[in-house]
Amino acid sequence: AVVSTQSGHYGRGPPNITFRKKEKGGINLTCVVPQSELDLNSVKQILSEYRISNADIILKEDSSCDDLIDVIEGNRVYIPCIYVLNKIDQISIEELDIIYKIPHCVPLSAHHKWNFDDLLEKMWDYLCLTRIYTKPKGQLPDFNAPVVLKEDNRTLEAFCNNLHKGILKDLKYALVWGSSVKYQPQRVGKEHVLADEDIVQIIKKH
């Protein structure tokens, strides 16, 4: 399901459409997959409303008129959305299996506190956040207060700067445990890209 507002769509990403205006050559439409709603005539009609007579359009998924309009206007915000369905303690296993197949949904029971972990994991996933745990030398990892990094900036350098701006200049290397490394632990430098729930121990220069 998608919740739409005047400025944004909730629960989906941007349409997989390439749109490029050009100086001449008319309207060129390429359909990578079969279309159930859009064809060359409907595309030309929509573009004429925006006084566009020369453009290349590639439809990489089955797209709607609204999808094309969103791409042309270029002002829509696409926001990840999770639908929480409560009271699963009052339905059958068969009904629960059906609910689990609904996209962007997490069934739970607030009364019995069932499936809260699943909701938390999906929230982390949809927010594109990465949890990194610190491990002081000679101590156990701190799993209560992870360093949170954005998925597109999760290098060891970003991790160090998140802890303290001065750590990087004293960094010799780091030991990493987790899915981002082949060996447990493995020595890495500041360019190493960390993965969710990695454990990091900073080794400073003497």
Side-chain angles (χ1 to χ4, degrees):
V2 178
V3 180
S4 298
T5 67
Q6 194 169 14
S7 60
H9 289 315
Y10 296 85
R12 60 160 291 176
N16 198 359
I17 298 174
T18 298
F19 169 69
R20 183 173 63 85
K21 288 196 286 187
K22 55 187 182 181
E23 294 297 322
K24 56 183 179 179
I27 304 300
N28 292 320
L29 175 64
T30 302
C31 299
V32 178
V33 298
Q35 300 295 310
S36 57
E37 185 172 333
L38 289 172
D39 57 20
L40 183 57
N41 288 333
S42 59
V43 167
K44 285 182 175 179
Q45 187 175 355
I46 291 170
L47 292 175
S48 68
E49 295 292 327
Y50 293 88
R51 298 180 181 177
I52 298 171
S53 54
N54 299 289
D56 291 329
I57 295 150
I58 304 174
L59 305 178
K60 302 173 185 175
E61 63 184 6
D62 189 8
S63 305
S64 67
C65 294
D66 286 340
D67 289 336
L68 180 56
I69 290 169
D70 286 351
V71 171
I72 294 169
E73 293 189 350
N75 60 358
R76 291 292 186 264
V77 177
Y78 297 89
I79 303 167
C81 178
I82 299 172
Y83 302 96
V84 178
L85 306 179
N86 193 21
K87 298 186 178 181
I88 60 171
D89 53 305
Q90 299 180 16
I91 62 175
S92 66
I93 295 296
E94 291 76 16
E95 290 170 324
L96 183 59
D97 287 340
I98 294 171
I99 289 175
Y100 257 112
K101 296 175 183 177
I102 301 173
H104 313 296
C105 286
V106 177
L108 54 78
S109 169
H111 178 70
H112 294 285
K113 297 183 179 180
W114 292 347
N115 215 28
F116 280 18
D117 288 345
D118 193 16
L119 174 60
L120 184 60
E121 285 299 318
K122 194 171 284 284
M123 287 170 62
W124 280 104
D125 183 41
Y126 274 48
L127 289 170
C128 297
L129 298 175
T130 300
R131 294 158 289 188
I132 308 297
Y133 302 111
T134 57
K135 183 187 182 305
K137 190 174 181 179
Q139 299 180 35
L140 293 172
D142 182 4
F143 293 113
N144 294 319
V147 174
V148 179
L149 302 175
K150 292 186 177 180
E151 196 174 61
D152 59 355
N153 187 25
R154 48 191 172 91
T155 61
L156 180 64
E157 181 176 0
F159 170 81
C160 291
N161 286 333
N162 191 288
L163 288 173
H164 190 279
K165 297 293 183 183
I167 290 179
L168 203 60
K169 64 179 173 47
D170 295 324
L171 175 70
K172 185 176 183 182
Y173 60 87
L175 295 175
V176 175
W177 293 258
S179 60
S180 74
V181 291
K182 184 176 181 180
Y183 305 104
Q184 309 293 327
Q186 184 170 316
R187 183 185 297 193
V188 302
K190 66 178 183 179
E191 296 84 10
H192 179 73
V193 177
L194 299 164
D196 190 35
E197 297 195 271
D198 274 1
I199 298 168
V200 175
Q201 180 179 320
I202 299 296
I203 307 298
K204 294 183 178 180
K205 300 172 184 175
H206 294 299

